[in-house]
Amino acid sequence: MFFHVQKLINEIVADEPDPAAANILQEGLGGQFGEMRTMMQYLFQSFNFRGKAKPFLDLIQGIGTEEISHVELIATTITHLLDGSPRYQGNGSPGEGGSTPLSMAPNAPNVHHFLVAAQGAMPVDAAGNPWSGSYVYNSGNLVLDLLYNLMLESTGRLQKCRLYEMTSNKTARATISYLIVRDEAHERAYGKALEALGVNWGKTLPIPKIDNLKYPEVRELVEKGANTKQHHFRLDGSLMSAIFRGESPTHDGSTLTTVDEPPEGFPIPFLPERPEEFAPGLTPELMALAQQLEQMSRV
Amino acid sequence: MFFHVQKLINEIVADEPDPAAANILQEGLGGQFGEMRTMMQYLFQSFNFRGKAKPFLDLIQGIGTEEISHVELIATTITHLLDGSPRYQGNGSPGEGGSTPLSMAPNAPNVHHFLVAAQGAMPVDAAGNPWSGSYVYNSGNLVLDLLYNLMLESTGRLQKCRLYEMTSNKTARATISYLIVRDEAHERAYGKALEALGVNWGKTLPIPKIDNLKYPEVRELVEKGANTKQHHFRLDGSLMSAIFRGESPTHDGSTLTTVDEPPEGFPIPFLPERPEEFAPGLTPELMALAQQLEQMSRV
Amino acid sequence: MFFHVQKLINEIVADEPDPAAANILQEGLGGQFGEMRTMMQYLFQSFNFRGKAKPFLDLIQGIGTEEISHVELIATTITHLLDGSPRYQGNGSPGEGGSTPLSMAPNAPNVHHFLVAAQGAMPVDAAGNPWSGSYVYNSGNLVLDLLYNLMLESTGRLQKCRLYEMTSNKTARATISYLIVRDEAHERAYGKALEALGVNWGKTLPIPKIDNLKYPEVRELVEKGANTKQHHFRLDGSLMSAIFRGESPTHDGSTLTTVDEPPEGFPIPFLPERPEEFAPGLTPELMALAQQLEQMSRV
Amino acid sequence: MFFHVQKLINEIVADEPDPAAANILQEGLGGQFGEMRTMMQYLFQSFNFRGKAKPFLDLIQGIGTEEISHVELIATTITHLLDGSPRYQGNGSPGEGGSTPLSMAPNAPNVHHFLVAAQGAMPVDAAGNPWSGSYVYNSGNLVLDLLYNLMLESTGRLQKCRLYEMTSNKTARATISYLIVRDEAHERAYGKALEALGVNWGKTLPIPKIDNLKYPEVRELVEKGANTKQHHFRLDGSLMSAIFRGESPTHDGSTLTTVDEPPEGFPIPFLPERPEEFAPGLTPELMALAQQLEQMSRV
Amino acid sequence: MFFHVQKLINEIVADEPDPAAANILQEGLGGQFGEMRTMMQYLFQSFNFRGKAKPFLDLIQGIGTEEISHVELIATTITHLLDGSPRYQGNGSPGEGGSTPLSMAPNAPNVHHFLVAAQGAMPVDAAGNPWSGSYVYNSGNLVLDLLYNLMLESTGRLQKCRLYEMTSNKTARATISYLIVRDEAHERAYGKALEALGVNWGKTLPIPKIDNLKYPEVRELVEKGANTKQHHFRLDGSLMSAIFRGESPTHDGSTLTTVDEPPEGFPIPFLPERPEEFAPGLTPELMALAQQLEQMSRV
Amino acid sequence: MFFHVQKLINEIVADEPDPAAANILQEGLGGQFGEMRTMMQYLFQSFNFRGKAKPFLDLIQGIGTEEISHVELIATTITHLLDGSPRYQGNGSPGEGGSTPLSMAPNAPNVHHFLVAAQGAMPVDAAGNPWSGSYVYNSGNLVLDLLYNLMLESTGRLQKCRLYEMTSNKTARATISYLIVRDEAHERAYGKALEALGVNWGKTLPIPKIDNLKYPEVRELVEKGANTKQHHFRLDGSLMSAIFRGESPTHDGSTLTTVDEPPEGFPIPFLPERPEEFAPGLTPELMALAQQLEQMSRV
């Protein structure tokens, strides 16, 4: 069973709207190596988990639960990057006398963001391909599933490093940097799990081998230890710490720590009405009905 | 942020393995109107929610969170229906001298269950189509999103009623019946939300109009009020109850109640090793390493 | 602009329900070389037609219009083959006390016919793949489009000949035979159009080279000249006859004739309610409302 | 059976070529909520229609027939928006000495318009995804199908309103405005059909709630009553008027009227040769053969 | 540049036709972890290879070239398993008087084998999904690409072991066993390549950990050293042997050897005409023309 | 069996990087009528070839083998067009202090070229759609397969002529021109094969009818006879020449010649490291290990 707290796992940093940045971030949400995929892959591996090696189940499922919050974080980031693009911000009169408040949309990287999703995130990648269930890998063989997961996190981190180099928008970079660091933590987790079964990674991890000091936002998170800690996101305890502990498989002197307490979380910024999108599109009359309902419930 | 408890939202009732029942249940998991779709649709609608009508957000997101647990329930049901199919149950020696313990698989409704997923659930529908992000509907217009959600829950319930009539396997029927009842509760939720904006449904809800007394497992759940109650699945409170309360939009004399406390949950049954699938496939040597790790963590 | 007459272009011959026959006929409806494809391909070629060679436009568009009626015919055939499968025919009590009137469905070639489409036709092929817009070929080059269309009709006819050999169901065979003959007529049409531009087909047409006398239903239609005549399906006249006339490009002594008058058509058989599918699923109360409406309109 | 008249259901208004406008209009043609989808959905619902409520069949099928003409209209609009893009218009010498008459194409929103379709419409959406048969919804349950159809028309109209705000091209806007008005008429039709079964829509229809006076082209059509009238497009009469009559379900004082006579239609503009696309690509020699054929047919 | 010899890389062993075995083998041909995928993935990685580590290029490209021959082998195996299915073998009169020589096809695992492909192999998987370019993984990062390739070969071998347990058909098993052994050789190749960069695999390779002695056909090949040798398939030499040499990364005492000489190959069995499929469908008249051509060329 | 020589079938001509040209060339690689499709279609037709008309088999398979080298050529061309795009060339410090060396990527025609493929070619078309196995046509009927192949080569050539008109980049044009000429040779091959069975093409071939003299690079190749010669790419001889000989089916006075000797080939240009892509991403430490290995192998 799953439960929700209406907070984000990382902060949304304010900056200008940026549809191009929003679009490339879609790869991290709905791409073949994005957060929807890690989430679904780890959840299916957990639901189908066989045998008695329970710490491995708890590790995979705990990371899988974290990934739902990553989906929430990156979707929210995309929505805020799309909301109120510079060229029509403040123009609240769609079609008034034939105006074109969405005139920039036909040349946006993905016009669906404006035409279909009302300036919101979509379950697609940066080239517009919808997320597919065929992405999910779950062979049932534990060594193989762990090996795939390690490769998956590494590819996710590789793509996010490339994303970092594509944009200087602060809203985008804050989320990208957070995910670079967390993907690295997950690389350590799966690398460690395989180490427990006899593999020695030498100096190959993490992949890619980047110098964290080069990216200011990443460095800040690393200094807080965000790449060596792992919450288990369980309300009923977890055996994850049997694996995620001790020397890191990166062999760089760092130590892994499983954290029991849930993260505190950050507030979710408000999204205003967009009349040019008819979203949410309530007339004053319908809005009055909606408010009436809230008031009645307080009685 | 999302959290997990390692329990199921409904019970897995024991019965014989049944790959055909497992396969039709895939529609309820990865089908166009299945639980992965409702989950993703409501979560995206929540992440992209605009404006101040917060009880509507809390309603959609609360149901969305419940749907993650439904995905967990139906995936677990499918896995247990697949596990150890009659024709090779107990045959633990794959390939020994050229034996064919999986000889029934080529004629199974979806050979991928045995060839790809090691007798596990997959993110596909009953015809083998992978789940697609193009299923997710999120127009940004509140009335339209609610109307779609009502239609979606009704279609989900319609298909589950048909599923009930296709199988007499008890494992399958227990989960099907639970979802029939919960889909009905969600129909009431979205019907009520639209009623709050001025629609009167007359005698059209719920869709389809079935006599719940005909299905014994459904009747039992209805008698416990499972079709008129709604948990909010939030650890930090919810305004959902501003909508989900009072007279039901079905106009049948029933009353809606929002429940604050989380459900208790049911244990997740153990899935044994399947040597014919090499799942999890640990040799005695690797298994010893895995166990050593668990012991070390207890020190 | 398009108009409709509520009649079928060929007769639905009565026989037993046969879900397997229904499923293979889906290839002729929603397959890569089926009627939805020919219809859409010819309509797009017409809408995008360039230049002054108008008889070619009228030929392509006229055949395209005929194909809409073929879609109607084959969809109706499939629905009647699915309707009331032997193993549950007459069992009108879905779920009564836990009955399983749809128990045969999980082993049907495509369970979606029962689970999704209420024993109705779907826009998919015989392997369950949904029809795709990527099938439509429209290069803009006239010779190339005609060459493709000839190949398309030949492949359609080839597959329908194979379908004929797969089933002895009379409902299926009547429609299959009709389409074999009409595909042959269309082969002649496109073969003739290319002949008008200088190609000589020798003895290669029609493809495949079958002996029409072997298939009794086909022979009957051929004897009526159904493979050498072509209606233009236009209410405002057509230049199609500038091409579809004179010696056939098959060089078998036959002559092509364009027919101005529309075909007479055949009645569409009635489809009863299917309570086990909740289709149409109107309660007596809702049915009364529906009937009231019809009566009021007569006033 | 279907018939054709070589006229358009609305006028193509002349303006400059505009590939970006053409591309966004593709959503209205081949998108998930575009005209190909409404057409196919209503036709399949008609072919599979069960039971005796014939006015509902005639309503759905009549609108479905109209949608074929909408596909024709919007495809023709797109083709004319693509034809002869400003940057190479008049450059009739493809490749002469290495010239690049299509040099603007690589940066067009969808290069396939120039590379594959010879400046013609394609069965794809505005993001380039091909139309899919999986879009078609046909549950067999009448209330549910009507509810979906209402939602579908509302979403179509919502997207077309957004399209209106994205472009000021007159060719595009004329077609967009016509479809906004007709989608509204169809919302009324399905809203009314559900009202006949007991639903009262209050003030929620039409969706979105826009002020028609704001869009000049829309206003003009509304003033002619184009949003409250419905042709039945049948050559043999229709019971559609049993539903589409009387007070509109929008509760705005308007009255619905079914029209028996077919619309008059508008001429289809001529599309010239495009040598840079080799379309239709007939050499003078082949053109002479084509003309010869037309002359011979006049004898 | 690529060259061809009309021989197979392994023998086709004769046995009865077996459409079910043919269908499951499709996973090895067109599945997500089948031979088309390995072939395309390694070729793309070679075409896009960056930097100076040439032995790695030669290793990946050499295996990629071998995979083309695997595609040839498995496609040929499937075709021979399909050719002349027992239930209509010898029935050479399609449709004669209405006969149904293909009557078993509607219940075959994939009716397309008979309806579309004339009893031939197709580029699809065992569930009928067409092969997709989205399968190809090529991150550009060498460690990551090698890690993925190791996982890919391991999954391929895992699935082939499961295939072995699903069928006892000798034609199928001969090819399956050969591919099990070659996938193992490729696991060693990529495992060794990563070992060269510092990874130590302990006792985890190969994956899955099976006892080769259990499968008679596999044992025979292993005894010939087929799982430790690697041809480079280059006509102009290769640096592959810089990696594929010395101690195996499986740490089982075996030694890797790169072989310069090409394999000898096996004859390709003849495929007869199938009149019920109209394949190749030449009339006596056309056959005479074809033969005339061959004779003329000898002059 | 297939073999490789590490050379290209045509020269890569140097010019500036050009991501837009790279993207349109993807149609020729992974598009519905591109080289991956011709390659796979001809190989499948060969593997499934039925009957005794062996010169036809050798013709189809020989061209199929050539197409693998075309895939290699066009993929290499794309990679070189992408490598080191002007706006970040020379910027070797990804992320240094937050720099954005890939800042141009979000507006590239396909951001996946930079985000996923490290400035490399991908198996997708110019609109980003992944290559699909559903493209492959293999009806088993020889006349029909030849007709399709002729249409396929003509469409490929048509699209390449359009590509020529879209770009003036020399790297792109050299490869495009080579493929225009070779597609023409293949048109002659399939046209001739059908002529051998009785078709006379008059003046319709090749399609499109262009004046080769207009394109300088094409003219140069034609003057060398590159459009009338055909290598067979077999190491063990071929009967292809029984068909590809004598008068061309274009009826323009040219003569067809089959060539036994393999082409000489051209060197493959080196692709440097791209630090901003972390490709190949070896640290100095890992690079030392890689080099050590090469040295050891020389001992």
Side-chain angles (χ1 to χ4, degrees), chain E residues 75-98:
Chain E
T76 305
T77 307
I78 290 169
T79 301
H80 282 277
L81 284 166
L82 288 167
D83 183 50
S85 178
R87 290 180 46 194
Y88 62 88
Q89 205 165 25
N91 185 335
S93 296
E96 185 73 70

Side-chain angles (χ1 to χ4, degrees), chain E residues 19 48 60 236 262 294:
Chain E
N48 292 328
I60 293 169
D236 55 346
E294 203 170 339

Side-chain angles (χ1 to χ4, degrees), chain C residues 119-181:
Chain C
Q119 304 173 33
M122 301 176 73
V124 303
D125 71 14
N129 303 301
W131 192 88
S132 168
S134 67
Y135 296 162
V136 169
Y137 180 91
N138 181 16
S139 74
N141 183 284
L142 185 58
V143 175
L144 211 33
D145 284 353
L146 292 171
L147 198 61
Y148 199 113
N149 295 352
L150 173 59
M151 183 286 301
L152 175 56
E153 293 288 347
S154 304
T155 308
R157 186 159 157 277
L158 173 69
Q159 292 187 351
K160 273 149 206 154
C161 290
R162 291 173 183 166
L163 285 177
Y164 186 97
E165 294 167 40
M166 289 183 186
T167 180
S168 57
N169 182 289
K170 287 178 194 164
T171 307
R173 280 202 163 175
T175 294
I176 291 167
S177 298
Y178 180 76
L179 295 173
I180 287 173
V181 173

Side-chain angles (χ1 to χ4, degrees), chain A residues 1-7 39 48 50-51 61 69 72 79 83 121 131 133 142 233 235-236 271-272 278 280, chain B residues 1-7 39 48 50-51 61 69 72 79 83 121 131 133 141 233 235-236 271-272 280:
Chain A
M1 287 192 297
F2 294 84
F3 296 89
H4 189 233
V5 170
Q6 226 169 43
K7 288 196 170 176
M39 162 186 152
N48 293 328
R50 292 185 174 280
Q61 198 166 38
S69 303
E72 185 181 40
T79 301
D83 182 51
W131 192 87
L142 185 58
F233 297 96
L235 302 179
D236 55 346
L271 277 169
F278 313 96
Chain B
M1 287 192 297
F2 294 84
F3 296 90
H4 188 232
V5 170
Q6 224 167 44
K7 287 196 172 176
M39 162 185 151
N48 293 327
R50 293 185 173 280
Q61 198 166 38
S69 303
E72 186 181 39
T79 301
D83 183 50
W131 191 87
N141 184 284
F233 297 96
L235 302 179
D236 55 345
L271 277 169

Side-chain angles (χ1 to χ4, degrees), chain E residues 60-105:
Chain E
I60 293 169
Q61 198 164 39
I63 298 179
T65 304
E66 181 182 354
E67 302 291 6
I68 317 179
S69 303
H70 288 187
V71 168
E72 186 179 40
L73 173 66
I74 197 165
T76 305
T77 307
I78 290 169
T79 301
H80 282 277
L81 284 166
L82 288 167
D83 183 50
S85 178
R87 290 180 46 194
Y88 62 88
Q89 205 165 25
N91 185 335
S93 296
E96 185 73 70
S99 70
T100 53
L102 292 173
S103 60
M104 50 65 71

Side-chain angles (χ1 to χ4, degrees), chain D:
Chain D
M1 286 193 297
F2 295 83
F3 297 89
H4 189 231
V5 169
Q6 226 168 42
K7 288 197 171 178
L8 292 174
I9 203 165
N10 198 49
E11 198 179 359
I12 302 289
V13 172
D15 198 347
E16 284 295 296
D18 187 338
N23 187 58
I24 59 174
L25 271 183
Q26 285 283 167
E27 193 72 21
L29 173 55
Q32 205 170 147
F33 298 91
E35 307 300 321
M36 283 178 69
R37 199 270 184 89
T38 48
M39 161 185 152
M40 279 298 180
Q41 180 155 317
Y42 304 155
L43 293 185
F44 269 88
Q45 287 179 0
S46 307
F47 302 153
N48 292 327
F49 193 88
R50 292 186 173 281
K52 298 183 178 168
K54 193 154 185 307
F56 292 88
L57 165 62
D58 284 13
L59 181 82
I60 294 169
Q61 198 165 40
I63 298 178
T65 305
E66 180 181 357
E67 303 290 5
I68 318 180
S69 303
H70 288 187
V71 168
E72 186 181 39
L73 173 66
I74 196 165
T76 305
T77 308
I78 290 169
T79 301
H80 282 276
L81 284 165
L82 288 168
D83 183 50
S85 178
R87 291 183 45 195
Y88 62 86
Q89 206 166 26
N91 186 337
S93 297
E96 185 74 70
S99 70
T100 52
L102 292 173
S103 60
M104 50 66 71
N107 296 309
N110 188 344
V111 68
H112 275 186
H113 277 140
F114 300 88
L115 179 48
V116 175
Q119 304 173 34
M122 302 175 73
V124 303
D125 71 14
N129 304 300
W131 192 87
S132 169
S134 68
Y135 296 164
V136 169
Y137 180 91
N138 181 16
S139 74
N141 183 285
L142 185 57
V143 176
L144 211 33
D145 283 353
L146 292 170
L147 197 62
Y148 199 111
N149 295 352
L150 172 60
M151 183 285 302
L152 175 56
E153 293 288 345
S154 303
T155 308
R157 186 160 158 277
L158 173 70
Q159 292 186 351
K160 274 149 206 153
C161 290
R162 291 172 183 166
L163 286 176
Y164 187 96
E165 294 166 40
M166 289 182 185
T167 180
S168 57
N169 184 288
K170 286 178 195 164
T171 308
R173 279 202 162 176
T175 294
I176 291 167
S177 298
Y178 180 76
L179 294 172
I180 286 173
V181 173
R182 293 307 302 152
D183 285 359
E184 188 186 320
H186 298 168
E187 279 194 56
R188 291 170 194 258
Y190 292 120
K192 184 73 181 181
L194 282 160
E195 211 176 72
L197 298 173
V199 181
N200 184 317
W201 294 102
K203 289 291 190 184
T204 54
L205 297 188
I207 312 170
K209 302 289 286 182
I210 59 164
D211 181 354
N212 279 330
L213 300 179
K214 284 188 178 171
Y215 301 152
E217 299 91 336
V218 171
R219 187 176 50 206
E220 202 176 321
L221 288 157
V222 167
E223 282 164 2
K224 291 178 190 162
N227 59 342
T228 53
K229 288 180 191 157
Q230 181 65 49
H231 293 275
H232 58 55
F233 297 96
R234 282 274 291 284
L235 302 179
D236 54 346
S238 167
L239 295 185
M240 177 195 277
S241 62
I243 297 168
F244 202 87
R245 67 195 319 246
E247 196 200 339
S248 169
T250 51
H251 306 145
D252 56 358
S254 60
T255 304
L256 307 181
T257 322
T258 298
V259 182
D260 284 326
E261 309 76 47
E264 256 193 58
F266 298 84
I268 304 175
F270 177 74
L271 278 168
E273 293 196 29
R274 283 286 153 205
E276 70 275 20
E277 301 282 4
F278 313 96
L282 297 181
T283 55
E285 198 172 352
L286 294 179
M287 201 37 170
L289 286 170
Q291 284 169 341
Q292 188 177 346
L293 163 113
E294 201 169 340
Q295 286 160 358
M296 276 171 55
S297 78
R298 291 205 187 109
V299 184

